[in-house]
């Protein structure tokens, strides 16, 4: 498969339409890869494809909103949903991207166990045989586990999590749905987010983040992967997704490039018992 | 002298009866430096976070004021603290922080109060992690820089050596627990991750400020503050106020040079506008600027930034790349 | 006990033991200099001078309940210090809403100072643009107070309009009366009733064609003005060692600890804010 991906990259460079391609490269550690930015055919040999390719390649495109040539991105299923998310959110333009989709074989990341889209949902070229996809029965297992707690247990559970949180904002920076030009949490002078490191301020951040991305979460699990303190961050957005599923029917985000956020759209058939 | 392994809890218990003891313990699946409340300590690995918050808390009150009364009350209460189980990397970081907070013309009152009350029981490190490279930074895993007591793991227990007067006071309390005839000596330890830092590396780096290498080595960075918050030597802070009507409290809290707001001025100008300038500043602070000022690297090779970076950036890989630049 | 690194033997410090804790003071006089610059005269609650800064040094000024920021100290008297502050953000907005008699907290003085000794026996050309005259004024006042120590003094100052000229009393009344001191003023755009020069500061400076012999230059203003003034000065034959300026960076602690105001291995709050142009050449370009 790696050769097919490399060939796709070489072809993309040959076409002259692609400025650079984002993939993965080895590090000095056998169990870690790091994002690779290939600028020409010579760089392609550095590309790797193995179970340690856990970094998302998609969000780097946000740093280059007006590229001279197309940005090439090697996409797993989750990365393709990230691209779809950012196009739907009007942060990226489809015509600026050259998408090399690869059917994912699952990576060394617990979140991959509940993946429902190993085959990229958008691509210009697809490598690998599309798999039959189904939503994992474990999708909301963590949410249900937390929901089963008593209110006090649940409060204490999150209190401990946010005692651990160091507010490094890695979960935000890696999230494809966190694509505000300037995050509310960086606007310290407005006072939205207090700067002190304590449980209360950490929880303000955690809640705000969850609500802000909950109806657009593509369930890539990057937030949990990057969290140095191992907070179960995606269970928050999955809680919102579960509620959305229960209220509005089956919902998965980031499957098309023209998708309004569930809570950002009004439909005459929506439930309105709160009115 | 040897403290038998099975006597360790008792030894720590004896200290905890009289002082605030901070030790590495297992919590929530990771090792953290936390108040010792009896039971087992965990000496595996470096710990998720360094013990720097003992001296430099994540958030600390500085003073309270009342606008109407025109009063200003300083908060600075430091209790005597014994920090146990510190590996040489983290111990070296205390020495690096001392230079910042206690020297340079101004003594930081909040830090110095805590530092004066601190005793360090260092623990030699016989199992460096895959990401550890302290030996490349000139640090001896079995001999810590600011230790009051140096312990080292050996067969059946730990060697114990009182290094300072403070250390002698501590070891005195262990008198009945120690095997004084033991001749056990710790083995020599090398990290598996080694980089060959050349002499005057900081001078080379200082001349590389405009090098195209920075675009390359910062491209994968996510711009989060993970590396700075898990780092034992990162000491950037912010000062803010908590206001309730007429009264308020000023506090300082950890801040990160990786944040956009960090250097942004009131008029909007930001001398370090993107992750490239910010990460460059961080790498140069660790490997050049601090050494230019204080004669040592501000990196102690604990490897936490490597182990925790979401994008798997590696400061040793950066250093090696920089060495290759003509 | 104060262990600040103020090199001046006459330095008197009333700071708290802890350099990060400010002293509560009061604003005893507020002068509106221009539509967006006000000068605040500050005194301790018991009527004393908060501390005795050297020219060019900084003070961390906080409005309790709002925030804290670093400002240059533009003047000092027997029992007060003064800062001139331009409205640019949240804190400065709040400062501009203050009334005389209100409390304010200050700590300092911080940073190095203008090389008052190196300049002894020399002529000095002070160049300011806009609010940039604020730090320069501290040295002008010092030079006037120690008039016998210095040669000929020139103050060359420009602003957008006549209304934007700060320290009008000094510019039009006090300084012209000083022996062997010339004030040269310019504004950016012509306006009715203004008979003086209309030119940007660098162009005005070139017209004046100063002789570099035995002359030091103190230059403060917006970065773009500094850049072009420096070019003009170099053309006139001034060397970079003899051109002195001040830098501005975001600061939180003021004592070289919090990290953010570094340029290379120098901290602007500790090693600056005063640098010669040749010293700045040694620093990375990250200002």
């Amino acid at each position: 498969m790696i050769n097919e991906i490399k060939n796709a990259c070489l072809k993309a460079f040959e076409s002259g339409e692609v400025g650079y391609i984002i993939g993965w490269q080895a590090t000095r550690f056998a169990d870690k890869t790091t994002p690779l930015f290939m600028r020409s055919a010579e760089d392609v040999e550095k590309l790797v494809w193995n179970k340690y390719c856990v970094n998302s390649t998609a969000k780097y495109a946000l740093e280059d909103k007006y590229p001279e040539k197309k940005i090439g991105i090697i996409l797993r299923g989750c990365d393709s949903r990230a691209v779809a998310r950012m196009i739907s959110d009007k942060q990226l333009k489809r015509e600026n991207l050259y998408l090399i989709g690869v059917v994912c074989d699952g990576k060394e990341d617990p979140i991959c166990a509940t993946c429902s889209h190993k085959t990229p949902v958008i691509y210009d070229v697809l490598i690998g045989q599309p798999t039959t996809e189904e939503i994992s029965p474990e999708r909301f297992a963590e949410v249900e586990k937390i929901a089963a707690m008593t209110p006090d247990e649940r409060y204490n559970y999150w209190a401990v999590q946010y005692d651990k949180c160091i507010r490094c904002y890695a979960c935000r920076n890696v999230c494809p749905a966190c694509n505000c030009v300037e995050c509310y949490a960086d606007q310290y002078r407005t006072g939205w987010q207090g700067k002190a490191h304590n449980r209360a301020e950490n929880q303000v951040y955690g809640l705000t983040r969850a609500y802000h991305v909950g109806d657009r979460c593509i369930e890539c699990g990057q937030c949990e992967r990057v969290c140095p303190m191992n907070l179960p961050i995606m269970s928050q957005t999955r809680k919102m997704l579960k509620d959305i599923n229960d209220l509005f029917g089956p919902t998965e985000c980031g499957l098309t490039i023209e998708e309004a956020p569930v809570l950002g759209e009004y439909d005459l058939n929506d439930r309105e018992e709160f009115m | 002298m040897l403290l038998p392994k099975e006597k360790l809890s008792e030894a720590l218990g004896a200290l905890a009866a009289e002082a605030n003891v901070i030790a590495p313990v297992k919590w929530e699946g990771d090792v953290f430096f936390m108040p010792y409340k009896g039971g087992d300590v965990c000496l595996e690995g470096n710990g998720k976070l360094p013990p720097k918050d003992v001296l430099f808390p994540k958030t600390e009150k500085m003073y309270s004021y009342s606008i109407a009364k025109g009063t200003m009350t300083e908060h600075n209460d430091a209790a005597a603290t014994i920090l146990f189980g510190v590996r040489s990397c983290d111990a070296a970081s205390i020495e690096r922080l001392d230079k910042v907070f206690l020297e340079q013309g101004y003594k930081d009152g909040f830090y110095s109060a805590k530092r004066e009350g601190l005793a360090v029981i260092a623990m030699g490190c016989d199992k460096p992690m895959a990401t550890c490279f302290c030996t490349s930074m000139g640090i001896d895993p079995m001999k810590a820089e600011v230790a009051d007591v140096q312990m080292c793991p050996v067969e059946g227990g730990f060697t114990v050596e009182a290094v300072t007067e403070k250390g002698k006071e501590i070891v005195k309390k262990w008198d009945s627990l120690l095997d004084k005839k033991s001749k056990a000596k710790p083995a020599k330890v090398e990290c598996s991750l080694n980089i060959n830092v050349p002499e005057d590396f900081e001078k080379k780096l200082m001349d590389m400020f405009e090098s195209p290498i920075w675009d390359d080595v910062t491209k994968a960075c996510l711009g989060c503050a993970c590396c700075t918050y898990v780092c034992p030597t990162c000491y950037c802070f912010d000062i803010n106020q908590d206001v309730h009507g007429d009264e308020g409290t000023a506090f300082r809290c950890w801040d990160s040079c990786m944040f956009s707001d960090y250097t942004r001025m009131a008029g909007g100008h930001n001398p370090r506008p993107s992750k490239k300038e910010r990460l460059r500043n961080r790498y140069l602070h660790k490997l050049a600027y601090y050494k230019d000022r204080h004669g040592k690297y501000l990196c102690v090779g604990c490897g936490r930034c490597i182990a925790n970076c979401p994008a798997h950036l590696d400061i040793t890989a950066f250093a090696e790349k920089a060495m290759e630049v003509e | 006990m104060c262990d600040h690194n103020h090199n001046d033997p006459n330095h008197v410090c009333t700071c708290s033991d802890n350099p990060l804790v400010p002293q509560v003071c009061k604003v005893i006089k507020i002068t509106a200099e221009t539509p967006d610059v006000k000068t605040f005269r500050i005194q301790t609650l018991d009527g004393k001078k908060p501390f005795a800064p050297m020219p060019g040094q900084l003070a961390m000024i906080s409005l309790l309940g709002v925030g804290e920021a670093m400002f240059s100290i533009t003047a000092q008297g027997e029992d007060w210090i003064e800062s001139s502050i331009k409205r640019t953000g949240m804190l400065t907005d709040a400062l501009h809403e203050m009334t005389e008699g209100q409390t304010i907290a200050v700590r300092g003085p911080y940073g190095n100072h203008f090389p008052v000794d190196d300049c002894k026996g020399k002529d000095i050309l002070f160049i300011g643009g806009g609010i940039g005259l604020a730090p320069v004024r501290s040295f002008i006042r010092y030079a006037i107070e120690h008039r016998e120590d210095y040669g000929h003094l020139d103050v060359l100052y420009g602003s957008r309009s006549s209304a934007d000229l700060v320290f009008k009393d000094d510019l039009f009344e006090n300084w012209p009366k000083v022996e062997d001191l010339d004030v040269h003023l310019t504004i950016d755009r012509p306006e009715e009733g203004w008979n003086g020069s209309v030119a940007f500061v660098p162009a005005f400076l070139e017209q004046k064609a100063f002789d570099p012999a035995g002359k030091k230059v103190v230059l403060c203003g917006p970065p773009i003005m500094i850049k072009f003034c420096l070019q003009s000065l170099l053309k006139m034959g001034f060397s970079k060692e003899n051109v002195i300026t001040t830098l501005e960076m975001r600061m939180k602690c003021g004592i070289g600890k919090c990290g953010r105001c570094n340029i290379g291995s120098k901290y602007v709050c500790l090693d600056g804010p005063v640098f010669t142009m040749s010293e700045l050449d040694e620093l990375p370009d990250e200002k």
Side-chain angles (χ1 to χ4, degrees):
Chain A
M1 199 166 240
I2 178 70
N3 289 331
E4 285 175 82
I5 307 172
K6 283 182 178 172
N7 284 336
C9 293
L10 291 171
K11 259 192 210 154
F13 281 125
E14 262 168 41
S15 76
E17 282 182 22
V18 175
Y20 58 94
I21 304 173
I22 310 169
W24 302 268
Q25 63 184 322
T27 67
R28 68 164 87 240
F29 304 98
D31 61 350
K32 285 180 197 286
T33 69
T34 187
L36 167 69
F37 298 82
M38 294 172 274
R39 303 198 170 274
S40 66
E42 287 95 81
D43 290 338
V44 174
E45 65 182 68
K46 293 182 199 157
L47 183 73
V48 297
W49 172 257
N50 59 40
K51 65 175 176 173
Y52 301 110
C53 295
V54 293
N55 277 280
S56 177
T57 47
K59 203 179 173 184
Y60 292 105
L62 276 189
E63 291 169 19
D64 195 2
K65 286 200 176 178
Y66 307 98
E68 278 172 39
K69 290 180 174 186
K70 286 187 180 187
I71 304 168
I73 310 176
I74 303 175
L75 302 170
R76 303 164 295 165
C78 51
D79 302 321
S80 76
R81 293 174 73 184
V83 168
R85 166 84 283 132
M86 291 184 283
I87 295 173
S88 295
D89 290 348
K90 310 278 188 279
Q91 297 300 314
L92 290 179
K93 287 199 166 111
R94 179 67 181 90
E95 60 269 28
N96 286 340
L97 307 173
Y98 182 75
L99 305 175
I100 302 173
V102 183
V103 179
C104 186
D105 44 3
K107 302 298 173 196
E108 194 72 7
D109 185 348
I111 213 73
C112 298
T114 58
C115 175
S116 60
H117 291 274
K118 293 190 161 38
T119 307
V121 296
I122 48 166
Y123 48 80
D124 290 300
V125 46
L126 183 70
I127 293 159
Q129 282 303 313
T131 48
T132 44
E133 313 269 17
E134 54 186 46
I135 292 181
S136 163
E138 296 296 306
R139 185 185 183 196
F140 296 129
E142 184 70 20
V143 175
E144 278 152 8
K145 200 182 96 195
I146 296 169
M149 295 177 184
T150 66
D152 281 351
E153 283 170 349
R154 195 156 53 236
Y155 179 84
N156 289 330
Y157 175 77
W158 286 114
V160 168
Q161 299 308 320
Y162 282 96
D163 283 344
K164 285 195 290 179
C165 174
I166 53 174
R167 252 187 26 252
C168 65
Y169 297 128
C171 52
R172 172 194 71 184
N173 288 17
V174 81
C175 176
C178 276
N179 51 40
C180 291
V181 173
E182 187 177 23
C183 177
Y184 93 98
D186 284 338
Q187 299 169 24
Y188 279 108
R189 285 162 228 215
T190 60
W192 304 129
Q193 174 68 56
K195 203 147 184 191
H197 286 266
N198 55 38
R199 185 196 292 173
E201 294 296 358
N202 295 350
Q203 286 178 325
V204 167
Y205 165 67
L207 278 172
T208 310
R209 194 206 69 87
Y211 275 112
H212 203 172
V213 300
D215 66 332
R216 294 178 300 125
C217 171
I218 60 157
E219 302 171 72
C220 63
Q222 290 285 327
C223 50
E224 284 192 21
R225 178 187 72 78
V226 301
C227 181
M229 310 312 285
N230 300 321
L231 267 63
I233 306 172
M234 204 172 68
S235 62
Q236 300 167 343
T237 45
R238 273 197 164 151
K239 163 66 177 155
M240 287 191 63
L241 288 171
K242 183 172 182 302
D243 288 352
I244 288 167
N245 268 260
D246 294 347
L247 289 166
F248 304 108
T251 308
E252 285 187 287
C253 304
L255 300 185
T256 73
I257 60 171
E258 288 162 345
E259 170 189 280
V262 181
L263 302 182
E265 191 185 48
Y266 178 66
D267 186 291
L268 279 177
N269 297 317
D270 283 351
R271 296 161 60 136
E272 49 181 347
E273 64 271 64
F274 59 88
M275 300 283 275
Chain B
M1 282 190 288
L2 182 109
L3 180 71
K5 208 172 199 161
E6 63 279 7
K7 298 271 171 73
L8 181 59
S9 297
E10 202 179 323
L12 290 175
L15 301 179
E18 290 169 27
N20 178 28
V21 175
I22 307 286
V25 292
K26 209 135 196 165
W27 181 60
E28 285 283 306
D30 277 307
V31 179
F32 291 91
F33 285 91
M34 297 175 92
Y36 180 72
K37 300 202 174 99
D40 287 338
V41 293
C42 183
L43 298 172
E44 295 292 314
N46 288 352
K48 188 58 146 180
L49 298 176
K52 74 176 169 187
D53 64 334
V54 170
L55 292 167
F56 174 53
K58 283 181 190 158
T59 303
E60 81 181 305
K61 280 186 188 173
M62 303 169 75
Y63 53 87
S64 296
Y65 54 82
S66 158
I67 297 171
K69 293 184 207 135
T71 54
M72 176 77 60
T73 318
E74 186 181 336
H75 298 289
N76 198 0
D77 30 53
T81 299
I82 298 172
L83 183 54
F84 169 81
V86 182
R87 289 186 165 187
S88 295
C89 49
D90 288 344
S93 76
I94 295 175
E95 193 271 346
R96 307 297 185 272
L97 295 183
D98 283 351
K99 287 208 160 72
V100 173
F101 285 107
L102 303 178
E103 296 176 17
Q104 303 198 124
Y106 294 89
K107 195 190 256 186
D108 183 300
F110 302 102
Y111 181 93
S112 68
K114 294 181 191 65
R115 183 69 179 91
E116 278 156 27
L118 183 74
V120 175
I121 305 179
M123 180 60 78
C125 165
D126 59 349
K127 284 195 203 80
M129 303 166 79
T131 45
C132 286
F133 58 102
C134 71
T135 44
S136 300
M137 303 314 290
I139 288 163
D140 180 346
M142 288 296 180
K143 197 168 187 309
E145 287 179 43
V146 297
D148 294 294
V149 177
Q150 176 73 58
M151 295 173 71
C152 288
V154 289
E155 186 75 37
F158 310 93
T159 59
V160 176
E161 182 199 346
V163 184
T164 64
E165 286 304 318
K166 257 188 205 173
K168 281 180 192 153
E169 290 300 311
I170 289 171
V171 174
K172 235 187 247 171
K173 297 194 175 102
W174 292 351
D175 202 55
S176 62
L177 305 171
L178 295 172
D179 168 2
K180 287 174 189 152
K181 283 181 219 128
S182 166
K183 293 267 183 298
K185 277 219 164 85
K188 204 166 159 48
V189 175
E190 276 291 325
C191 297
S192 58
L193 169 51
N194 279 298
I195 51 168
N196 231 328
V197 183
E199 196 134 325
D200 292 342
F201 187 43
E202 75 280 7
K203 295 203 176 89
K204 175 174 184 165
L205 286 172
M206 301 264 265
D207 288 339
M208 279 175 54
F209 192 82
E210 305 287 352
S211 163
I213 189 179
W214 299 109
D215 290 303
D216 184 32
V217 297
T218 60
K219 195 83 183 77
C221 172
L222 292 176
C224 74
C226 185
C227 53
T228 59
Y229 286 164
V230 299
C231 177
T233 65
C234 273
Y235 57 82
C236 289
F237 61 85
D238 194 3
I239 295 174
N240 264 296
Q241 303 185 11
D242 229 346
V243 189
H244 298 281
D246 194 42
E247 304 193 330
T249 303
F251 62 89
R252 76 163 158 200
C253 59
W254 288 6
D255 201 356
S256 171
C257 60
M258 299 305 295
F259 290 146
S260 60
D261 187 65
Y262 181 69
T263 44
R264 187 165 45 207
M265 297 200 270
H269 173 66
N270 193 343
R272 297 200 275 267
S274 77
K275 68 182 184 186
K276 174 188 157 186
E277 293 83 14
R278 292 177 210 137
L279 188 54
R280 173 174 63 190
N281 182 68
R282 180 167 193 276
Y283 280 160
L284 290 178
H285 191 205
K286 295 289 157 198
L287 301 174
Y289 299 158
Y290 184 91
K291 186 152 187 226
D292 186 47
R293 250 191 129 85
H294 299 293
K296 284 181 177 172
Y297 293 110
L298 190 61
C299 173
V300 293
C302 76
R304 288 187 183 91
C305 58
I306 307 175
N308 289 291
C309 175
H312 302 151
L313 295 189
D314 174 348
I315 190 170
T316 65
F318 156 73
E320 285 183 339
K321 236 177 223 170
M323 288 172 208
E324 281 165 26
V325 173
E326 291 291 313
Chain C
M1 192 192 73
C2 162
D3 60 352
H4 294 180
N5 62 345
H6 318 144
N7 298 323
D8 179 51
N10 300 322
H11 168 66
V12 181
C13 192
T14 59
C15 308
S16 137
D17 269 1
N18 193 329
L20 291 171
V21 179
Q23 50 181 330
V24 181
C25 294
K26 62 191 171 194
V27 176
I28 55 168
K29 187 177 166 203
I30 300 175
T31 312
E33 303 285 352
T34 76
D36 61 359
V37 176
K38 283 184 177 177
T39 298
F40 298 82
R41 183 170 289 187
I42 299 166
Q43 190 176 65
T44 62
L45 294 180
D46 54 358
K48 296 197 178 105
K49 177 146 115 173
F51 41 74
M54 290 294 288
Q57 281 197 299
L58 307 169
M60 192 58 103
I61 297 180
S62 55
L63 191 51
L64 296 172
V66 182
E68 195 176 47
M70 195 71 106
F71 298 97
S72 71
I73 303 159
T74 185
Q76 58 184 309
E78 195 65 11
D79 53 7
W80 51 265
I81 58 167
E82 260 182 20
S83 256
S84 297
I85 296 171
K86 186 176 169 139
R87 210 172 178 143
T88 44
M90 255 174 48
L91 173 67
T92 51
D93 276 352
L95 286 169
H96 274 241
E97 298 302 318
M98 286 185 82
T99 52
E100 289 173 4
Q102 275 188 273
T103 53
I104 197 165
V106 293
R107 54 191 179 91
Y110 295 129
N112 65 355
H113 52 77
F114 286 117
V116 291
D117 290 335
D118 277 8
C119 293
K120 271 188 187 158
K122 302 256 169 59
D123 296 343
I124 310 177
L125 166 58
F126 297 100
I127 306 173
I131 185 69
L133 191 60
V136 179
R137 181 176 177 236
S138 63
F139 195 3
I140 299 173
R141 287 175 57 100
Y142 184 92
I144 293 171
E145 278 163 28
H146 302 79
R147 193 65 201 83
E148 67 286 359
D149 288 345
Y150 302 96
H152 182 75
L153 304 177
D154 285 289
V155 177
L156 187 145
Y157 175 56
S159 228
R160 278 172 303 183
S161 68
S162 62
D164 287 304
L165 296 167
V166 293
F167 314 127
K168 292 185 188 72
D169 285 354
D170 285 338
L171 295 173
F172 295 105
E173 296 290 328
N174 303 335
W175 293 346
K177 288 185 198 142
V178 176
E179 201 180 321
D180 211 13
L181 185 154
D182 293 317
V183 178
H184 317 270
L185 297 178
T186 183
I187 58 174
D188 290 355
R189 281 180 289 271
E191 63 181 51
E192 220 164 289
W194 177 263
N195 301 320
S197 161
V198 176
F200 290 124
V201 173
F204 187 50
L205 172 64
E206 287 209 15
Q207 290 170 23
K208 293 282 163 190
F210 290 98
D211 178 7
K215 205 189 274 319
K216 292 267 187 185
V217 182
V218 176
L219 169 63
C220 293
I224 190 76
M225 184 204 96
I226 292 188
K227 186 179 158 189
F228 286 110
C229 281
L230 180 63
Q231 286 177 7
S232 306
L233 290 166
L234 295 177
K235 259 194 270 173
M236 285 174 212
F238 285 93
S239 73
K240 286 185 174 180
E241 292 80 52
N242 290 326
V243 181
I244 301 148
T245 189
T246 61
L247 290 184
E248 236 187 302
M249 286 289 253
R250 188 159 191 223
M251 295 173 189
K252 283 285 183 174
C253 74
I255 55 174
K257 316 243 186 262
C258 80
R260 54 180 55 59
C261 72
N262 75 299
I263 301 176
S265 59
K266 300 284 183 226
Y267 288 101
V268 173
C269 71
L270 205 60
D271 307 306
V274 178
F275 294 93
T276 65
M277 285 296 176
S278 53
E279 285 168 339
L280 288 190
D281 276 353
E282 300 292 310
L283 298 181
D285 187 15
E286 195 172 69
K287 286 151 214 133

